[in-house]
Amino acid sequence: MFPISIYTGGAVENGPMGATYNKPPSASYPAQDDITFDELKRKIFELTRINEDKNSINVNARWNAGTGASHCFVLLPICENSMWRMLVEKTLSSASGWSIVELFIEAVPNSVCTQNDPGEKSHSIVECTEKASENSTQENGLFNRNRREENQEDPLLGEKAKEEESQDLTDDESIDLKLYDESALYEGRLFDSLDDLRRFVKEYHINQNRKLVTEVSGPIQYVVKCMDPECGWRLYAASDRDRSYYQIKKIKGEHVCSNEADGEDHVNMSSEFISELIVDLIRKKGDASPKEIQEFVYKLYRCTPSYGKAWRAKELAITQLFGEWKESYTNLAPYLNAIQVANPGTKVEWLSDSTVDPNVRLFRGVAWAFAPAIEGFKNCRPVISIDSTKLCGKYGGRMLIAVAYDAEGQLLPLAFAAIKDEEDDESWSWFMRWLRQEVVGPHPLCVISDRQDSILSLFDQEDSGWYTGTGQAFHRYCSRYLSESIPRAFKTIDLVRLVQWVSSQNQLRKFRLGMMRIMETNRDAYDWLVKVGTKPDEESAFHLWSLCEDGGYRYGIMAENGNESIFNLFPGIQELPITALVELTFVKSAETFARQRELTSKIEVEKQQLWCNKVTAILEARRAKASQHRIVSIQSQSFLQEEVEVETRAEVKHTVRVGDDQRSSCSCQKPQLTGIPCSHLLAFCAFRSINANYLVDTAYGARRLLATWAPQFHPPPSSPDEWPDYMGVAYSPLCKMSKRGRRKKNVWSPSIPEKLKKPGSAAAYRCGLGKQIGHSKRCCSRNQLAFDTTSES
């Protein structure tokens, strides 16, 4: 047997899940498995009480065309027994993912629209309804006008016509049913599963702001009642014999309890219920704070769940989307192996400890770099930035990341690492050694980072691969981290913008002017900036944080986050299990490559565009500015070397030097620091008819930009069952979870002054004898008095 729901007397609407009906079912009944289409139609006429002599019916089934839990309903016209049997067989086999047969019935007068023949083209229920409605309106208008004319001639005939019209209406329309809202509860309503029934009943009462108590919730019965003892409302539901559907059998009484909305938490809004609501939100954003979840739920139901419920619901939603935490470590190595098979050249490095079992190792960290990113980096500027963030998951840890910069300054996610321990000398040394050996290679590179001691020590170690004494590595400070150190060190924010301005100046004159202003404002801050990053034998280390002293190694990139935050590329990554974290880096990296590939495809290489769009625009602007400059004097240093003095419109003079080896410089230092000619140099090139394109650094080439984002990401199979066989060792998080426990509460009394709440001070104690603040029981005068009395006795 299988359930059939019959809908009639309404209209078809298109909802989020496809075709739906705007009225509840007129009838429901369990049908035999071998029922034929003719038997079905007779049963429909019987249950709906449609006059079979005067009407025919169009039968349309609500067919689930989705896959799995994704439902998408379309209308399937049923006009013969073969089509009906196909529908029944699919329903009984659960191949459609839907175990209820829902039939939309349209009663059509025989003179207007007949049942579709098998050989004729089937009409949709909407089209047929519109046609029937139009014809019926025209005929009824003519019929009623003739009736009125006849009634005027014969009053007795008019009364008889009213009786006949009333009788026709009773025959043509379905049985008089109580009209319910489609979101209401009513006896006879069917549900596909017990979970659907529970969810619907809960949601209904949350919307009504009424509270329920569950009495029975089992595989056969489901009974709930109103929490208010004075309210006699109760609902009884049960499953069929095969438990293929659940039906509301009886609803006793009506709610007489209060339902005034107060906007507060609802007792029936559990964390599990909220987690089902926010799954799409978490999937879309990657993360959502408990406060955002509270606001999201309030918009839906006008009630705000507690912070704890929102926090637990978020964890449940993450588990539902990405799996359990420990299981994620089990899938980590096979998933990375699947990525390596799909993307040859992907690099993976493990940091682990041995265990008693030789096939299982204790996880301490893993680093990975995708093959397309490694290939794309070869065409980037020789600058990388490194940063880290804390992992807030079950096992804690840190995530390390390295990014590169393309010709236009866009971030290229280069390499990642997830470590169990907090970042220290060992973890950074392990990650950076692997990065040098396996990813970036032995090429001169500039590294931009913050001022962590564990990072700074790398550039002083000769065997680290990043020793600055070899000329293969150059370390520079991120200007953002430097400026953020000012408020912490000197308790002022007035200098932040001034320090940022000074650090980004390319002219020595402006840099010195800014330093003088800092000295006048705060001498301690000035002394700190002079000494920051210095070695014992150095008076200053301005080259670490100042652009004008850089030497051109950082290509004008001042902040390690570049044009956009590194971790903005991977929203919510700190909250995810380890395998989901790796998957997110793969998906977002692939999206970044696809997005940048589409943007860079607009570069017109065929029209001989040599440089990327950004540099091309800079050159055009500087050429326009150069037309307003004036060559003041020219001095020849040798036969092929010249020194030129260029005066700007503001009567500022700059010295330009050009040699036979195509090396050029200017006193403004823009060509030396960024690799892009300044307006002063372009003015001299125009004066000497020199092609300025030879003076632009090749890192900005249009073809190199296209080659940066050209590599393709190939995703591994989505199902673990389809991953390639992995024969390596397994990695286990056999370690203590990060200490989470109960969320902290304020243990201090509100009446205690804030200055007395500082932990570690004597004022933070409350005496156990006198209940006074400022000392402990051991130091209390009462305790001392008792001791003195005892000594005297």
Side-chain angles (χ1 to χ4, degrees):
M1 299 179 67
F2 61 95
I4 294 179
S5 293
I6 300 174
Y7 297 80
T8 187
V12 177
E13 296 179 351
N14 288 320
M17 297 172 63
T20 185
Y21 213 68
N22 65 349
K23 285 189 177 183
S26 303
S28 300
Y29 80 100
Q32 297 294 330
D33 295 350
D34 57 350
I35 185 173
T36 63
F37 185 56
D38 292 335
E39 294 172 345
L40 172 70
K41 289 195 293 183
R42 286 196 295 270
K43 193 68 176 180
I44 292 173
F45 280 117
E46 177 185 345
L47 294 175
T48 60
R49 300 184 64 179
I50 297 175
N51 192 324
E52 188 175 359
D53 296 332
K54 297 183 178 181
N55 299 276
S56 59
I57 57 174
N58 286 338
V59 181
N60 287 266
R62 189 169 179 247
W63 176 257
N64 181 23
T67 58
S70 177
H71 301 303
C72 179
F73 294 99
V74 297
L75 290 182
L76 179 66
I78 306 297
C79 53
E80 60 180 358
N81 191 63
S82 60
M83 297 178 64
W84 166 247
R85 294 308 307 167
M86 181 271 294
L87 174 66
V88 172
E89 291 173 2
K90 292 289 185 181
T91 302
L92 294 176
S93 65
S94 300
S96 64
W98 201 252
S99 60
I100 300 177
V101 174
E102 296 177 293
L103 302 178
F104 297 169
I105 307 302
E106 179 194 13
V108 183
N110 289 330
S111 59
V112 176
C113 181
T114 59
Q115 174 68 29
N116 293 330
D117 294 330
E120 295 180 355
K121 182 179 179 180
S122 301
H123 298 282
S124 69
I125 190 170
V126 180
E127 295 172 347
C128 196
T129 303
E130 293 175 353
K131 180 179 178 182
S133 176
E134 181 182 354
N135 294 343
S136 179
T137 303
Q138 295 175 355
E139 293 184 0
N140 289 341
L142 178 62
F143 176 77
N144 292 335
R145 185 167 60 252
N146 295 336
R147 283 276 180 92
R148 285 195 298 269
E149 293 174 357
E150 294 174 359
N151 293 346
Q152 291 176 359
E153 296 177 359
D154 191 346
L156 294 178
L157 187 58
E159 294 293 332
K160 182 178 181 182
K162 290 181 181 180
E163 293 180 2
E164 293 178 356
E165 186 175 358
S166 177
Q167 181 65 33
D168 290 342
L169 182 63
T170 303
D171 293 337
D172 291 343
E173 296 293 337
S174 60
I175 185 173
D176 185 19
L177 297 173
K178 181 180 180 180
L179 297 180
Y180 295 93
D181 191 315
E182 63 176 354
S183 62
L185 293 171
Y186 54 87
E187 295 180 2
R189 181 154 194 166
L190 298 176
F191 296 90
D192 198 41
S193 65
L194 180 60
D195 290 338
D196 292 343
L197 173 61
R198 289 174 181 160
R199 189 183 306 111
F200 187 89
V201 174
K202 272 189 178 182
E203 187 173 10
Y204 174 81
H205 283 83
I206 290 172
N207 283 323
Q208 296 290 327
N209 198 38
R210 291 189 166 95
K211 301 174 182 179
L212 293 176
V213 175
T214 303
E215 290 187 333
V216 180
S217 181
I220 299 177
Q221 279 188 319
Y222 179 71
V223 182
V224 292
K225 69 176 182 179
C226 183
M227 183 176 287
D228 190 343
E230 298 181 359
C231 182
W233 186 90
R234 189 183 299 263
L235 180 143
Y236 302 87
S239 66
D240 67 329
R241 181 177 302 176
D242 299 330
R243 299 178 188 174
S244 59
Y245 68 93
Y246 287 78
Q247 185 177 30
I248 298 177
K249 299 295 186 180
K250 187 176 181 181
I251 298 178
K252 181 180 177 182
E254 294 184 359
H255 279 290
V256 296
C257 53
S258 174
N259 65 339
E260 296 181 1
D262 52 11
E264 297 181 357
D265 196 4
H266 196 284
V267 67
N268 297 124
M269 185 175 284
S270 62
S271 300
E272 292 79 5
F273 180 84
I274 300 173
S275 67
E276 295 176 359
L277 300 176
I278 64 172
V279 164
D280 291 337
L281 178 67
I282 298 294
R283 182 186 291 112
K284 181 179 180 181
K285 295 186 62 178
D287 185 25
S289 66
K291 185 176 180 181
E292 290 176 330
I293 294 174
Q294 288 176 314
E295 295 173 354
F296 178 78
V297 174
Y298 181 80
K299 290 179 181 179
L300 293 176
Y301 299 106
R302 289 293 181 263
C303 63
T304 305
S306 66
Y307 186 93
K309 279 186 181 180
W311 184 81
R312 288 188 293 273
K314 174 184 173 180
E315 287 204 329
L316 290 172
I318 290 176
T319 302
Q320 181 178 347
L321 286 171
F322 305 111
E324 296 289 343
W325 289 89
K326 192 167 185 178
E327 180 186 355
S328 185
Y329 280 88
T330 304
N331 294 331
L332 178 58
Y335 180 69
L336 284 171
N337 178 63
I339 291 179
Q340 288 181 293
V341 173
N343 301 268
T346 298
K347 305 294 184 179
V348 178
E349 181 75 7
W350 295 92
L351 182 63
S352 61
D353 294 331
S354 61
T355 62
V356 177
D357 187 351
N359 296 322
V360 178
R361 295 188 64 85
L362 183 64
F363 176 86
R364 289 184 56 204
V366 61
W368 65 97
F370 304 120
I374 297 174
E375 188 65 26
F377 169 72
K378 297 177 182 178
N379 299 284
C380 291
R381 304 188 219 180
V383 183
I384 63 172
S385 295
I386 57 176
D387 199 2
S388 66
T389 186
K390 186 176 182 179
L391 297 178
C392 306
K394 186 174 183 179
Y395 297 104
R398 303 285 299 187
M399 181 175 181
L400 315 180
I401 186 172
V403 296
Y405 301 87
D406 72 354
E408 294 196 328
Q410 299 299 322
L411 296 180
L412 182 147
L414 181 58
F416 313 87
I419 57 175
K420 175 61 186 71
D421 303 321
E422 291 296 319
E423 55 183 332
D424 53 15
D425 293 353
E426 182 184 2
S427 60
W428 271 114
S429 177
W430 164 74
F431 175 67
M432 293 298 287
R433 288 173 189 270
W434 168 79
L435 183 68
R436 170 63 90 176
Q437 296 172 4
E438 300 291 337
V439 181
V440 299
H443 306 293
L445 285 175
C446 177
V447 180
I448 301 176
S449 73
D450 58 12
R451 296 175 50 251
Q452 293 184 51
D453 292 338
S454 55
I455 296 178
L456 297 180
S457 62
L458 288 169
F459 301 94
D460 295 329
Q461 300 173 12
E462 296 184 2
D463 60 344
S464 66
W466 299 97
Y467 181 54
T468 55
T470 62
Q472 297 296 303
F474 308 92
H475 185 219
R476 298 294 184 262
Y477 292 162
C478 171
S479 62
R480 182 174 64 86
Y481 278 104
L482 185 75
S483 59
E484 288 177 353
S485 301
I486 299 296
R488 294 195 297 267
F490 304 102
K491 310 302 180 185
T492 178
I493 61 173
D494 298 335
L495 293 176
V496 172
R497 289 188 177 181
L498 182 56
V499 172
Q500 289 178 341
W501 182 84
V502 170
S503 65
S504 62
Q505 294 307 305
N506 53 277
Q507 297 186 35
L508 283 171
R509 175 181 61 86
K510 294 183 179 180
F511 172 76
R512 292 166 182 165
L513 177 63
M515 290 296 291
M516 291 298 296
R517 291 181 60 184
I518 293 175
M519 184 176 65
E520 295 171 357
T521 305
N522 191 315
R523 183 54 186 261
D524 293 336
Y526 172 82
D527 294 339
W528 181 78
L529 287 172
V530 171
K531 292 297 182 181
V532 64
T534 58
K535 296 180 180 179
D537 57 343
E538 291 181 333
E539 294 183 359
S540 64
F542 293 144
H543 65 282
L544 293 176
W545 59 272
S546 171
L547 178 61
C548 69
E549 297 280 355
D550 167 55
Y553 296 111
R554 67 197 303 162
Y555 278 74
I557 301 170
M558 296 304 300
E560 67 175 16
N561 284 353
N563 296 335
E564 53 184 320
S565 173
I566 292 176
F567 290 101
N568 281 349
L569 295 175
F570 311 100
I573 198 168
Q574 298 95 332
E575 304 282 344
L576 300 179
I578 183 69
T579 302
L581 182 149
V582 176
E583 183 180 2
L584 181 63
T585 60
F586 182 89
V587 172
K588 292 300 180 181
S589 296
E591 290 178 357
T592 301
F593 267 70
R595 181 175 64 253
Q596 295 299 331
R597 191 183 304 116
E598 181 180 358
L599 293 175
T600 56
S601 64
K602 300 177 182 178
I603 294 180
E604 300 176 350
V605 179
E606 295 78 7
K607 294 184 179 180
Q608 303 302 317
Q609 180 177 340
L610 296 177
W611 313 112
C612 64
N613 292 331
K614 186 175 181 179
V615 172
T616 301
I618 291 175
L619 290 174
E620 290 178 357
R622 290 180 179 177
R623 284 193 180 99
K625 191 176 180 180
S627 63
Q628 302 176 1
H629 297 343
R630 185 169 63 92
I631 306 297
V632 177
S633 64
I634 301 176
Q635 297 179 0
S636 297
Q637 301 291 334
S638 64
F639 180 70
L640 294 174
Q641 291 183 354
E642 290 183 308
E643 183 176 299
V644 183
E645 195 174 48
V646 180
E647 185 179 48
T648 66
R649 188 177 182 182
E651 298 183 354
V652 177
K653 295 180 181 180
H654 290 277
T655 302
V656 175
R657 296 180 178 87
V658 179
D660 59 339
D661 55 356
Q662 304 303 334
R663 292 182 180 178
S664 59
S665 64
C666 180
S667 58
C668 74
Q669 295 201 97
K670 286 183 180 179
Q672 303 95 297
L673 298 176
T674 63
I676 305 174
C678 60
S679 59
H680 320 116
L681 182 56
L682 292 175
F684 172 75
C685 291
F687 178 77
R688 287 295 193 195
S689 300
I690 297 175
N691 187 353
N693 287 324
Y694 292 106
L695 304 179
V696 182
D697 196 299
T698 56
Y700 300 107
R703 293 187 181 275
R704 290 188 62 170
L705 179 61
L706 292 172
T708 300
W709 305 106
Q712 299 278 346
F713 279 76
H714 302 285
S718 57
S719 174
D721 297 334
E722 301 175 2
W723 292 346
D725 293 336
Y726 173 72
M727 307 303 295
V729 299
Y731 295 89
S732 173
L734 299 175
C735 50
K736 295 173 65 176
M737 292 188 301
S738 60
K739 188 176 180 180
R740 304 178 72 180
R742 183 179 302 173
R743 284 173 292 284
K744 302 297 183 291
K745 296 182 179 179
N746 184 10
V747 297
W748 300 97
S749 170
S751 62
I752 301 176
E754 289 293 328
K755 63 180 181 180
L756 299 181
K757 297 180 181 180
K758 185 177 179 181
S761 64
Y765 296 99
R766 180 186 289 273
C767 176
L769 294 176
K771 306 300 181 183
Q772 301 209 355
I773 301 171
H775 61 271
S776 64
K777 178 180 178 180
R778 184 179 59 180
C779 303
C780 182
S781 58
R782 294 187 181 186
N783 193 23
Q784 188 66 29
L785 180 62
F787 176 78
D788 294 340
T789 305
T790 305
S791 299
E792 292 176 1
S793 61

